[in-house]
Amino acid sequence: MKNLFFVSALIIIFSGTSLSARAQKRAAASKNELGTSVNTPIRFIEGIELSRTIEPSSVISSEKESTGVALPVGHNEIEQVNSVQFKYAQLLNRNVESASNLPLYNFIDDWWETRYRYGGTNKSGIDCSAFAGLLLKQVYTKEIPRTAKEQFTACEKLDRSVLNEGDLVFFNTRGGVSHVGVYLGDGYFVHASTGNGVTINNLDDDYYSARFLGGGKVLASTADTVANRGL
């Protein structure tokens, strides 16, 4: 009986040790699948954890395989996202996917922080109306008059509540219509400011909200007239 009891005890101890070893192996494998034991730095994009091996321009389609957690609805795929989209999505406080007008953001980025110069029309210095006119021409193929006052006169007047991307926004900064920007949505507009050059501000900013005159949409007839005059 003593021998039988001793043999039984050895079997139980051996079995427990084997089960413990198998459990540790499973835990390690599971840990590797989730990526928590891999020494790869993690960065965050819109609340989604991605390894550095995934470039912004790649397609993110896995939900649990790469992150270990299910992604929110609408975030399981981000296609052809680049650094310009990330930059302006952050500046405009919106999702990366909604920053989809790459010609617009590439144009802004190309002119970003170009200094203000009254009467200027190039990278050595540009004023607000020249910048607005150049943006509308290159991004939206619309031509408008040269000065802010002429642009205001040539536009269909719009209330702020109905402004769309690509509309103009006008301000009284030194008497009458004296400043213009291009609306980007959600209250944001891009313009050539006297202090910071080409930059983005919001209509709710104290300075601009106090001086906002209204918005304007370039009429097709206006664009045709300007084009025919070669202005």
Side-chain angles (χ1 to χ4, degrees):
M1 289 296 291
K2 287 184 179 181
N3 290 337
L4 180 60
F5 176 78
F6 180 72
V7 171
S8 299
L10 286 177
I11 291 173
I12 292 172
I13 292 171
F14 177 78
S15 298
T17 303
S18 178
L19 287 172
S20 176
R22 286 198 297 270
Q24 290 177 0
K25 288 182 180 180
R26 284 198 300 270
S30 176
K31 200 173 184 182
N32 283 329
E33 288 175 1
L34 294 178
T36 54
S37 63
V38 179
N39 294 324
T40 302
I42 298 296
R43 57 193 175 87
F44 294 82
I45 299 176
E46 292 294 310
I48 302 170
E49 293 184 357
L50 303 173
S51 70
R52 287 186 184 273
T53 58
I54 300 177
E55 296 298 327
S57 59
S58 66
V59 177
I60 304 163
S61 58
S62 62
E63 291 185 351
K64 291 186 179 180
E65 294 175 357
S66 63
T67 66
V69 293
L71 304 183
V73 175
H75 289 271
N76 61 327
E77 246 181 47
I78 302 177
E79 300 181 358
Q80 298 180 354
V81 175
N82 64 28
S83 59
V84 172
Q85 282 177 284
F86 282 112
K87 175 179 177 178
Y88 290 95
Q90 183 177 19
L91 287 172
L92 301 175
N93 193 29
R94 61 179 59 164
N95 293 331
V96 174
E97 300 94 317
S98 64
S100 58
N101 191 344
L102 283 179
L104 171 63
Y105 301 127
N106 283 328
F107 178 91
I108 296 171
D109 207 55
D110 187 44
W111 285 84
W112 189 253
E113 292 185 343
T114 297
R115 75 181 185 92
Y116 178 91
R117 182 169 65 86
Y118 182 74
T121 59
N122 53 45
K123 292 290 182 65
S124 65
I126 192 166
D127 64 23
C128 62
S129 56
F131 176 77
L134 192 61
L135 188 155
L136 260 63
K137 182 177 181 178
Q138 292 193 11
V139 178
Y140 299 101
T141 64
K142 294 181 179 180
E143 297 201 40
I144 57 177
R146 174 63 179 86
T147 69
K149 289 182 179 179
E150 291 173 332
Q151 292 168 1
F152 183 78
T153 301
C155 284
E156 174 190 356
K157 307 306 181 291
L158 298 175
D159 185 75
R160 174 179 171 173
S161 62
V162 295
L163 286 172
N164 291 313
E165 178 191 279
D167 290 334
L168 297 178
V169 286
F170 297 95
F171 305 88
N172 176 359
T173 56
R174 58 176 184 270
V177 180
S178 51
H179 190 64
V180 61
V182 179
Y183 193 67
L184 301 175
D186 303 316
Y188 293 97
F189 64 99
V190 62
H191 62 134
S193 72
T194 56
N196 299 309
V198 174
T199 189
I200 290 174
N201 285 101
N202 196 289
L203 294 176
D204 289 329
D205 294 345
D206 291 343
Y207 179 84
Y208 294 104
S209 64
R211 293 164 175 78
F212 180 61
L213 293 176
K217 181 180 294 295
V218 178
L219 301 173
S221 58
T222 299
D224 292 339
T225 300
V226 173
N228 291 334
R229 288 179 181 176
L231 298 177

